[in-house]
Amino acid sequence: MEKPKFLVIQTAFIGDVILATGVLEKLHAHFPGAQIDFMVRKGNESLLKNHPFLHKTWVWNKSDGKYKNLLKLTKAIRKEKYDYAINVQRFANSGFVTAFSKAKTKIGFDKNPWSRWFNIAVEHQINNGMHEVERNQKLIESITDSVAENPVLYPSATDFEKVSEYKQEPFICLAPASVWFTKQMPKEKWIEQIQTTPFQGNIYIIGAPSDADLADEIIARGNRGKVFNLCGKLNLLQSAALMKDAAMNYVNDSAPMHLASSVDAKTTAIFCSTIPEFGFGPLAGESHVVEIKEKLACRPCGLHGKKACPEGHFDCGNKLEMEQLHAVLE
């Protein structure tokens, strides 16, 4: 099969989509002439803009007529007659699309509720030190090899031009926000970081528009010059283009960490309630992990972040030491 047609499905969050691009890289390397399509949830398609070998992006609108749109999308996908449908998720909706895709070979994880209708159901293991890109690679190991590819995004020349004004002198980036409270280093710690950092260049705080107020407070209370709020001013690919040339990017266990990985940007990843052993750590060539040195009986408190600390103390965040953050700049 010289030019097979592939459909890769990942309709979860930003970070999950970024990590799944490693599958696209691997398929393209082994099947250079293949048609590779990707299915994502609405809002994440912008990550794939400018992708050099992605043929089509299927977009599932989950916020307006969720299941009606899923059925409509599945019918359209069936007409494509894919050779392979590769589902990197464990959840029912994506499993439904895979099972009814009419692909010749349907591949997914055994934990997916629809896995009995897959041709190949791969065992899904977590908390064993295996990175997510390695787990995803297991899905296509039988048609490629056992070596995982890192995720890659492709900011355009226009994206790099957009952020060029911020690169006139050395800089670091901070991404202090997270959807989950327990994945986010406490606000007071970010304030302490900018107050005590030995770095003398510019500091850019990046994030979504909804993170702007947090950034403003960090800047105001930090009371340090040369700190700038870029939250909401850059899209995802522009943020990646900026991060690529930073002296360091400080990120939580959240989407900005994976953005940094996708452009091989220097990364210091801060883990509070979650742990790198779950398999979602940084992948850049220069990567550092910062986490509490003390062993806590309550950590990790779950695979995903929580809205509040179950124990009420949030020691995994509050007891992080600034020396760990500053040491990576030496």
Side-chain angles (χ1 to χ4, degrees):
M1 190 183 300
E2 295 183 1
K3 295 184 178 182
K5 293 177 65 176
F6 293 98
L7 172 65
V8 179
I9 303 171
Q10 176 50 281
T11 60
F13 298 103
I14 292 172
D16 301 299
V17 172
I18 295 172
L19 292 176
T21 63
V23 173
L24 308 183
E25 295 292 317
K26 194 68 174 187
L27 291 175
H28 177 71
H30 276 258
F31 305 95
Q35 175 180 324
I36 304 174
D37 296 348
F38 202 2
M39 177 180 167
V40 299
R41 69 191 296 176
K42 185 174 178 59
N44 290 343
E45 67 272 20
S46 64
L47 288 164
L48 307 170
K49 189 177 180 182
N50 316 311
H51 204 292
F53 49 80
L54 190 60
H55 174 262
K56 180 182 177 65
T57 303
W58 297 95
V59 180
W60 176 30
N61 186 348
K62 297 178 68 173
S63 61
D64 183 17
K66 177 178 179 179
Y67 296 112
K68 179 181 178 181
N69 288 331
L70 187 68
L71 288 172
K72 183 178 179 181
L73 202 58
T74 303
K75 288 179 181 179
I77 284 171
R78 287 163 63 88
K79 294 178 182 178
E80 287 288 329
K81 299 180 180 179
Y82 287 102
D83 294 296
Y84 294 91
I86 302 162
N87 184 359
V88 299
Q89 277 184 272
R90 293 169 286 137
F91 306 117
N93 291 325
S94 62
F96 172 84
V97 177
T98 306
F100 290 94
S101 65
K102 276 196 171 181
K104 293 178 182 177
T105 303
K106 307 172 188 69
I107 306 174
F109 288 115
D110 60 351
K111 291 182 180 178
N112 193 292
W114 290 88
S115 63
R116 71 180 67 181
W117 286 277
F118 299 169
N119 301 99
I120 301 174
V122 176
E123 182 181 8
H124 187 276
Q125 297 181 338
I126 205 160
N127 202 20
N128 62 352
M130 182 182 292
H131 198 281
E132 179 75 353
V133 296
E134 296 174 304
R135 282 192 285 266
N136 291 342
Q137 177 61 28
K138 292 290 184 183
L139 295 170
I140 58 172
E141 185 174 289
S142 63
I143 57 174
T144 58
D145 58 39
S146 61
V147 181
E149 293 285 346
N150 279 354
V152 182
L153 296 179
Y154 294 89
S156 68
T158 302
D159 293 323
F160 280 102
E161 178 62 27
K162 168 72 175 179
V163 299
S164 61
E165 64 179 293
Y166 304 119
K167 299 182 179 183
Q168 301 306 305
E169 62 177 280
F171 67 95
I172 61 175
C173 292
L174 277 57
S178 172
V179 173
W180 303 102
F181 173 84
T182 63
K183 275 192 172 185
Q184 179 176 299
M185 185 170 74
K187 175 173 53 183
E188 289 73 17
K189 290 291 183 179
W190 293 102
I191 293 168
E192 183 182 355
Q193 182 188 7
I194 66 172
Q195 289 174 333
T196 61
T197 181
F199 186 74
Q200 298 299 309
N202 289 337
I203 299 177
Y204 299 125
I205 302 182
I206 59 175
S210 58
D211 304 326
D213 288 345
L214 172 63
D216 281 340
E217 183 177 355
I218 291 171
I219 293 170
R221 292 177 56 191
N223 194 28
R224 177 195 187 276
K226 303 174 73 173
V227 186
F228 305 93
N229 184 356
L230 299 184
C231 294
K233 296 181 180 179
L234 305 175
N235 63 33
L236 291 168
L237 290 179
Q238 290 164 355
S239 295
L242 178 67
M243 298 172 84
K244 183 174 177 63
D245 295 312
M248 185 55 63
N249 296 283
Y250 292 91
V251 296
N252 297 304
D253 175 18
S254 197
M257 174 175 63
H258 305 305
L259 279 178
S261 294
S262 76
V263 291
D264 195 27
K266 296 177 181 178
T267 309
T268 296
I270 302 160
F271 283 78
C272 295
S273 68
T274 54
I275 56 176
E277 288 76 14
F278 285 156
F280 297 94
L283 292 168
E286 182 179 337
S287 297
H288 310 270
V289 169
V290 170
E291 54 190 334
I292 187 172
K293 295 178 181 179
E294 176 186 347
K295 293 290 185 181
L296 298 176
C298 57
R299 179 177 185 262
C301 59
L303 178 60
H304 305 289
K306 298 181 182 296
K307 292 295 185 182
C309 172
E311 300 295 321
H313 52 64
F314 197 39
D315 282 350
C316 59
N318 289 324
K319 290 187 176 181
L320 290 169
E321 299 176 4
M322 285 300 105
E323 289 78 8
Q324 295 175 271
L325 298 178
H326 299 333
V328 302
L329 293 171
E330 295 176 356

